[in-house]
Amino acid sequence: MSHHQAASASGGRNSLDPISILYLEDSPIDLEFSLSLLTKGGIEHSVTHVETEGDYERHLREGCFDLILADYSLPQFDGLAALEIAQRLCPETPFLFVSGVIGEEVAIDSLQRGATDFVLKQRPQRLSAAVRRAMAEAAEKRARRDAEQERALLLEKEKARSEELARVNQRLEQFAYAASHDLQEPVRMIKVYSQLLARRYHENLDDEGRQYVSFIETGATRMDNLVHDLLSYSRVSHMDAETMKDVALADVLRDLVLPLFQPALAESGARVEIDGELPVVHADPERVSQVFQNLISNSLKYRRDVAPEIRIAATRKPDGSYWQIAVSDNGIGFEKEYGERIFGLFKRLHSGDRPGTGVGLALAKQIVEKHGGQIWAESVPGQGSTFYFTLPSVSRSLS
Ligand code: ADP
């Protein structure tokens, strides 16, 4: 491999290397003169000199040079043909005509066809500067192209990574779904039979035995809740566009949410107030009711020792495409730093005597995001929390 091939194969040239020149010229005197000008101009070079079309093309087929210099008018080979061959074989190599008198029209024509520059033999002192500029331009073009290629490569990698992530996620969701689905039955067996054991064999067990059975019962109930919540969580990913429709949130609350809380509200003296009008959104009513259920049951669960007050209000986003719904309470609240963590699966801040699986908010987040919305929370410990979520006001495809 000749040195000019090595240079082009590595995608660029070291600016300290002598530049490799393919020189098409039939006059040895002119050739020598041009090269001496380059040397004088401080441009180190190595030259391959050709005089015929055959030689010229053969060299280019073997590998590209850093620069091509060509006389415009050769006896049997015209400059434009040489230019055309160079563009076909080495489109990135700068190509300069070094020629005797040519008319202005011819010169312009050659530039339009892609020659980098031309230098008249009558004004040879321009040669070094023209070569320098051509080389700089070529280097810049190469750098730009490399950067573009790199960007394209990065984009491609990123795309592949996110596709892989989506696949992994999907497998995980399927796994969670299958696992929680299949666990329901055995968990229920343990729960039911431990309850039977506690009830029917109460007399046959001593205190210790009764305690063990009650531990099994507690464990089984907790597991049953977990499995149930996990199942609802993984079912969200199976949500499809068909269940989406225009729904009035006021109806959702009245029909699907508040009735469930009647006993709890009465018992705790809690109040749920709706501030102003609630909008019509484009959503799956069952899922949205689930979001409200989880938020309201949390507001009741994480209450202080005053009667819980829950407020629900909606505001329209400035561009009109989304509604923002706020559910606020006067409960125990949480520190700002936990504002994101609580939406993670199984993440709980307060446990102790407040039962829960840590799935509720993760499920709410999953549902809201499936609708293309967002969910977040603000809170002041000891004063209360507000949970916000957005839902599309108009029809849009599922995310
Ligand atoms: P769970 O209630 O089953 O623990 P969630 O996912 O519903 O699970 O909530 C996660 C955690 O966020 C809760 O354990 C609690 O610490 C905190 N949290 C949720 N809602 C509220 C609220 N309204 N006020 C204070 N803390 C809350």
Side-chain angles (χ1 to χ4, degrees), residues 17-34:
D17 290 345
I19 58 175
S20 60
I21 301 175
L22 180 64
Y23 208 140
L24 177 61
E25 173 64 84
D26 65 340
S27 151
I29 297 176
D30 286 355
L31 173 74
E32 282 312 316
F33 183 57
S34 293

Side-chain angles (χ1 to χ4, degrees), residues 229 294-295 298-303 329 331-334 341-344 346-351 354-363 379 384-385 387:
D229 285 358
N294 292 2
L295 295 182
N298 279 348
S299 291
L300 294 175
K301 186 162 45 165
Y302 303 104
R303 57 176 288 190
D329 63 43
I332 56 178
F334 53 84
R341 177 145 20 125
I342 54 176
F343 292 98
F346 303 131
K347 293 286 184 288
R348 310 196 64 210
L349 303 180
H350 317 90
S351 39
R354 301 177 207 249
T357 56
V359 177
L361 289 181
L363 176 60
S379 182
S385 319
F387 285 79

Side-chain angles (χ1 to χ4, degrees), residues 9 43 71 104 121 124 132 180 201 208 226 254 263 268 286 288 297 324 362 369 375:
I43 297 172
D71 193 354
E104 198 174 338
K121 286 182 180 171
R132 229 183 267 287
S180 47
Y201 294 84
E208 207 175 9
L226 263 173
R254 190 193 56 222
S268 59
E286 288 290 336
V288 169
S297 76
Q324 175 175 310
E369 287 180 355
I375 188 167

Side-chain angles (χ1 to χ4, degrees), residues 192-321:
V192 168
Y193 282 98
S194 61
Q195 280 167 352
L196 268 180
L197 204 57
R199 228 176 297 143
R200 277 208 209 150
Y201 294 84
H202 189 78
E203 303 305 327
N204 306 55
L205 295 168
D206 60 9
D207 280 350
E208 207 175 9
R210 281 195 280 272
Q211 203 183 18
Y212 290 171
V213 173
S214 115
F215 287 158
I216 298 175
E217 249 188 282
T218 311
T221 303
R222 184 165 157 62
M223 184 123 165
D224 194 29
N225 291 339
L226 263 173
V227 164
H228 173 268
D229 285 358
L230 202 53
L231 196 58
S232 337
Y233 179 80
S234 45
R235 272 192 183 131
V236 177
S237 52
H238 297 268
M239 188 174 135
D240 55 47
E242 277 161 37
T243 55
M244 303 273 287
K245 52 183 175 193
D246 289 343
V247 280
L249 289 182
D251 295 349
V252 171
L253 280 167
R254 190 193 56 222
D255 300 338
L256 302 174
V257 181
L258 296 179
L260 300 174
F261 290 100
Q262 277 325 320
L265 294 179
E267 188 188 308
S268 59
R271 275 192 320 182
V272 178
E273 285 204 13
I274 296 172
D275 282 348
E277 296 268 305
L278 291 182
V280 171
V281 293
H282 193 76
D284 175 335
E286 288 290 336
R287 306 290 190 195
V288 169
S289 90
Q290 183 102 57
V291 174
F292 279 116
Q293 284 172 38
N294 292 2
L295 295 182
I296 293 174
S297 76
N298 279 348
S299 291
L300 294 175
K301 186 162 45 165
Y302 303 104
R303 57 176 288 190
R304 281 182 293 140
D305 46 12
V306 296
E309 274 183 26
I310 301 165
R311 289 179 175 280
I312 302 171
T315 46
R316 200 176 182 128
K317 292 287 223 177
D319 75 349
S321 59

